[in-house]
Amino acid sequence: RAASKITFPGVWTNSCCSHPLRYMTPEEVDDPSERTNKLEYKYDGAKHAARRKLLHELGIDPQYITHDDIQYITKFHYWAADTQTYGTDTPPWGEHEVDYILFYKMKRDLP
């Protein structure tokens, strides 16, 4: 994770946190009412959000990651207190979120 993050700074965790935001263009919040078939639902909002965070999280310019080739794997509910950064007594920060697992395989080396 990026060293500038409030929670778990510099900790080896997931590769890129997306944190979809409302009112972004392209839209990052997926609308469950648009889901006609769970197997065909694309989770485009989560993919847009992940591409937005690539530069900050991994130093990768999102122009090299094609949206349509990002694969949605699953999502899960997650909670953790940041005891590594703030200690075990009463850590003021943590995470409580739904995480999307997205996969992308590079087709070439980055410049």
Side-chain angles (χ1 to χ4, degrees):
R1 287 174 59 96
S4 61
K5 293 209 131 187
I6 293 172
T7 56
F8 306 97
V11 174
W12 181 262
T13 59
N14 52 338
S15 296
C16 181
C17 294
S18 60
H19 300 296
L21 300 174
R22 291 203 177 276
Y23 312 116
M24 297 295 287
T25 303
E27 182 60 49
E28 294 183 355
V29 178
D30 291 306
D31 183 351
S33 69
E34 295 174 358
R35 185 182 321 191
T36 56
N37 178 335
K38 186 176 180 182
L39 295 176
E40 295 177 5
Y41 195 69
K42 305 295 184 204
Y43 294 95
D44 284 330
K47 293 176 185 181
H48 290 306
R51 287 185 74 239
R52 174 179 51 83
K53 293 297 290 180
L54 280 172
L55 191 60
H56 178 235
E57 296 278 3
L58 297 174
I60 297 173
D61 189 323
Q63 73 175 332
Y64 299 112
I65 307 298
T66 54
H67 175 88
D68 290 338
D69 289 333
I70 299 173
Q71 297 175 19
Y72 166 82
I73 305 296
T74 192
K75 64 182 177 178
F76 63 93
H77 179 236
Y78 164 81
W79 178 90
D82 188 358
T83 58
Q84 183 169 344
T85 306
Y86 300 101
T88 58
D89 291 339
T90 55
W93 291 99
E95 296 182 330
H96 190 187
E97 58 201 28
V98 172
D99 288 344
Y100 291 77
I101 307 301
L102 305 174
F103 178 81
Y104 186 88
K105 183 175 180 179
M106 294 298 298
K107 296 176 182 169
R108 59 186 163 92
D109 290 340
L110 293 171

